[in-house]
Amino acid sequence: MRYAAGVDVGSTQTKAVIVDEDQRIIARSLTDTGAYLVRAADRAFQSALDQAGLRRDEIGQVIGTGYGRFKVEFGDTQVTEIGCHAKGAWALIPATRTVIDIGGQDTKAIKVSDRGEVLDFAMNDKCAAGSGRFLTNSAEAVGLEVSEMGARSMDARQPVRLSTVCTIFVESDILSYLAQGKRVEDILAGVHSAIAARTVALVRRVGSESEITMTGGVSRNMGIVAALTEKLAMPVNVSPDSHFTGALGAAIFAMERVLAGPGAFAPEVLA
Ligand code: ADP
């Protein structure tokens, strides 16, 4: 059996995935990126290797993706995260035609072909407004972990209206709602609704063709998935591996290189 790996060095978290020849995930790992991107890439890859019980020289090809893709020093090449999210989402849910990726610092909507190729995309990356960082700051303001927000928000009765999706100003908005005695659940639902509204506007730029699949770390927040489903009036797929989609896409591109040889690799997806 031959193996390939993808390493997605994100602004917030670094993910690594190892696949076998049948594109099955045999190991996945997740680590906080921190200040040292080269080390985060190495740590994530080593942890996936340990999980798979493989050595580095048993991995045929490694592809780096994500914001820090050029910091994957042991990688053979790089592919943009847009190409990798399209490929990975298509591999997880083949009917996917639209991908919504909300990560730590940006949001993307990607239109995908029936073969997992990028047809079009729209992106919000000028600031972290309405992205994972906004959620992390909101969670801190109400004294919760980001992993607890989704479930808590599902008990909302009267979601508040936030006046901002600015990562800096959201904290004071939330503190003033807390001071007014608003319930945490209603505040969180307001946070999720604000992000969903902003995301839907981005999705409309590429068209919300079904099926829609959400990728990136924020897909682990069921409150966001519910708010998106409501605002799009369409179901939003989430896979248990959605957080690993970029790394999975990179690993599949890497396996294509293993199987077909580097010369057969589509140049347009190269960074
Ligand atoms: P990037 O690739 O930009 O580093 P990710 O796609 O890894 O970003 O997403 C990171 C974001 O995912 C975090 O900012 C956080 O909001 C969210 N997140 C990570 N883990 C969880 C979790 N267990 N539950 C809810 N949200 C999460």
Side-chain angles (χ1 to χ4, degrees):
M1 186 57 91
R2 287 176 288 180
Y3 302 99
V7 180
D8 177 2
V9 183
S11 61
T12 310
Q13 292 183 299
T14 295
K15 287 74 61 180
V17 163
I18 299 175
V19 295
D20 66 15
E21 279 177 31
D22 300 324
Q23 300 186 356
R24 275 189 308 242
I25 298 178
I26 59 156
R28 49 177 86 58
S29 76
L30 177 70
T31 184
D32 285 342
T33 301
Y36 301 100
L37 278 62
V38 172
R39 279 190 227 163
D42 206 68
R43 205 163 54 237
F45 185 41
Q46 189 56 51
S47 159
L49 286 167
D50 292 346
Q51 210 184 95
L54 292 168
R55 295 185 314 271
R56 288 187 184 222
D57 61 6
E58 291 176 281
I59 307 293
Q61 288 277 320
V62 181
I63 288 185
T65 189
Y67 142 101
R69 61 187 173 277
F70 293 102
K71 300 290 182 183
V72 185
E73 290 183 336
F74 49 86
D76 295 286
T77 189
Q78 303 83 30
V79 174
T80 65
E81 64 226 80
I82 293 164
C84 288
H85 274 267
K87 188 81 156 185
W90 169 81
L92 290 170
I93 297 164
T96 301
R97 295 295 172 271
T98 308
V99 174
I100 299 173
D101 166 32
I102 312 185
Q105 290 193 10
D106 63 24
T107 302
K108 304 178 193 80
I110 311 168
K111 188 173 178 178
V112 180
S113 80
D114 58 4
R115 295 193 337 205
E117 300 148 332
V118 177
L119 296 176
D120 193 10
F121 71 92
M123 188 163 170
N124 253 337
D125 63 350
K126 291 211 170 54
C127 72
S131 67
R133 175 73 65 83
F134 176 81
L135 282 164
T136 309
N137 289 9
S138 304
E140 269 170 27
V142 296
L144 288 178
E145 294 294 324
V146 78
S147 56
E148 298 171 311
M149 298 177 81
R152 276 295 288 275
S153 72
M154 302 308 276
D155 293 325
R157 289 186 213 127
Q158 281 184 308
V160 303
R161 276 182 78 88
L162 285 194
S163 63
T164 178
V165 283
C166 173
T167 312
I168 313 284
F169 293 122
V170 69
E171 192 178 343
S172 58
D173 228 16
I174 289 177
L175 292 178
S176 82
Y177 275 127
L178 286 172
Q180 289 167 33
K182 297 282 185 197
R183 296 168 69 238
V184 165
E185 291 80 356
D186 292 332
I187 295 173
L188 293 176
V191 165
H192 295 156
S193 174
I195 294 189
R198 194 182 160 88
T199 305
V200 167
L202 194 72
V203 173
R204 301 272 185 239
R205 278 164 51 189
V206 299
S208 49
E209 202 177 313
S210 85
E211 295 192 9
I212 300 180
T213 298
M214 188 174 173
T215 67
V218 174
S219 66
R220 299 174 76 158
N221 179 324
M222 68 171 84
I224 291 281
V225 178
L228 279 170
T229 303
E230 191 199 311
K231 288 201 194 310
L232 286 163
M234 287 166 89
V236 174
N237 300 310
V238 179
S239 152
D241 278 318
S242 276
H243 198 170
F244 296 93
T245 307
L248 172 63
I252 293 174
F253 279 125
M255 182 48 79
E256 287 176 0
R257 269 167 72 101
V258 169
L259 298 177
F265 199 54
E268 66 272 16
V269 295
L270 287 169

